[in-house]
């Protein structure tokens, strides 16, 4: 989009006038046919350019866009406006502050997830113990005399507990 | 730190010369006594200023620093240099790309954590079932006749399973 063509309804005859893009209007310059800023800074959204301009400066914005292929320029403008807004909201840390916060959140979540996974592993072992205990009790109930049964039952738990401790410590 | 004072060892007499800060050297201007950039852009690290200057422009950097109290200026320079490096590495997305990636990572970790917590709750129920089954089996082994025991044991599991299903669905 170059300088926009708009019609003036107040005129007795429909008059076509050229409206410069928001960037050229802010920079008080003529919006030429191939203005590199016009496709991304339409005249109806002047804040978008003002924000980016206050942080990066017009010459840097133009330079960045000229160094990129056209299909990547819209994304580059969006990210610059996003960063500029972050810098104006937080003049000390800007986007870097948000990155720091997110990195902290990632670290905390990774720690919580590791704890939850350890707990799951531990509970798997407990579950296996209990299932085997039930199975063993069921078997012993039908086939073995009570006294020897209790004894091997204890041994079985000792062994299974040892195996689980080993798997948790690795 | 203003323009640095250095001595020249090659001179027959020790001569004191003023070395401008990295910013003033790049901008080819005289580094004055109260240069706002000098404390953060020492002459031995010219890349730091060049990087920030390529992205924000010297006038914006000076403006940002002047708007901040002195104790926050070092952090502001660090974050600007960080952001500038990100923009030069990734001219399309810059810091916003890193934020996007981190936000995605946070969402994935939150999802994994929620799944792990649901699994823990489920296993708590299974464990409670198994513990109660063991307890019930132990009790029944010593006090109840075999046939009625089997029947109430099934009922007990049905009820406990129902309670666990309810707690998981809430």
């Amino acid at each position: 989009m170059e300088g926009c063509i708009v019609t003036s309804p107040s005129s007795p005859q429909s008059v076509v006038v050229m409206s410069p893009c928001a960037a050229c209007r802010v920079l008080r310059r003529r919006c030429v046919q191939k203005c590199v800023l016009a496709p991304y800074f339409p005249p109806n959204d002047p804040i978008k350019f003002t924000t980016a301009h206050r942080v990066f400066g017009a010459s840097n914005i133009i330079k960045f866009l000229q160094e990129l292929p056209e299909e990547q320029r819209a994304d580059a403008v969006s990210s610059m406006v996003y960063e500029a807004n972050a810098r104006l909201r937080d003049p000390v840390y800007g986007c870097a502050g948000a990155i720091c916060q997110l990195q902290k959140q990632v670290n905390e979540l990774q720690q919580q997830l590791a704890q939850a996974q350890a707990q799951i592993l531990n509970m798997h072992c407990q579950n296996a113990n209990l299932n085997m205990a039930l199975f063993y009790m069921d078997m012993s109930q039908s086939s073995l005399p009570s006294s020897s049964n209790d004894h091997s039952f204890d041994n079985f738990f000792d062994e299974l507990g040892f195996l689980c401790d080993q798997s948790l410590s690795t």
Side-chain angles (χ1 to χ4, degrees), chain A residues 24 27 29 32 34-41 57-74 76-77 80:
Chain A
C24 291
L27 299 172
R29 64 177 200 177
V32 295
K34 290 192 175 179
C35 170
V36 72
L37 298 170
Y40 317 106
F41 299 105
S59 60
N60 279 344
I61 297 171
I62 292 168
K63 186 188 69 186
F64 290 143
L65 293 183
Q66 281 172 335
E67 285 169 358
L68 288 172
E70 276 195 23
E71 65 272 19
Q72 293 190 308
R73 291 181 185 177
V77 167
M80 276 190 275

Side-chain angles (χ1 to χ4, degrees), chain A residues 117-119 121-123 125 163-170:
Chain A
Q117 283 165 340
Q119 198 177 345
L121 187 61
N122 193 23
M123 291 181 82
C125 277
L163 288 172
C164 276
D165 289 345
Q166 274 196 322
S167 74
L168 287 175
S169 67
T170 52

Side-chain angles (χ1 to χ4, degrees), chain A residues 27-155:
Chain A
L27 299 172
R28 294 169 191 274
R29 64 177 200 177
R30 195 169 157 261
C31 194
V32 295
Q33 186 73 11
K34 290 192 175 179
C35 170
V36 72
L37 298 170
Y40 317 106
F41 299 105
N44 59 350
D45 189 3
I47 303 294
K48 191 178 171 187
F49 179 75
T50 314
T51 304
H53 178 47
R54 280 179 66 190
V55 173
F56 296 101
S59 60
N60 279 344
I61 297 171
I62 292 168
K63 186 188 69 186
F64 290 143
L65 293 183
Q66 281 172 335
E67 285 169 358
L68 288 172
E70 276 195 23
E71 65 272 19
Q72 293 190 308
R73 291 181 185 177
D75 281 352
V77 167
S78 296
S79 71
M80 276 190 275
V81 172
Y82 178 89
E83 279 184 43
N85 270 312
R87 174 65 55 187
L88 297 178
R89 264 199 315 271
D90 179 356
V92 182
Y93 298 104
C95 261
I99 287 177
C100 208
Q101 284 293 322
L102 281 167
Q103 192 58 62
K104 199 177 155 198
Q105 200 180 350
V106 164
N107 293 346
E108 284 170 1
L109 283 166
Q110 281 174 331
Q111 207 177 342
Q112 287 172 27
L113 188 61
Q115 284 170 349
Q117 283 165 340
Q119 198 177 345
I120 287 169
L121 187 61
N122 193 23
M123 291 181 82
H124 264 300
C125 277
Q126 285 177 24
N127 258 1
N129 279 359
L130 291 167
N131 270 315
M132 285 299 277
L134 271 173
F135 172 75
Y136 210 87
M137 200 179 244
D138 194 40
M139 290 283 284
S140 65
Q141 204 170 3
S142 54
S143 61
L144 291 171
S146 175
S147 61
S148 70
N149 170 27
D150 284 351
H151 180 67
S152 11
F153 198 61
D154 288 346
N155 284 349

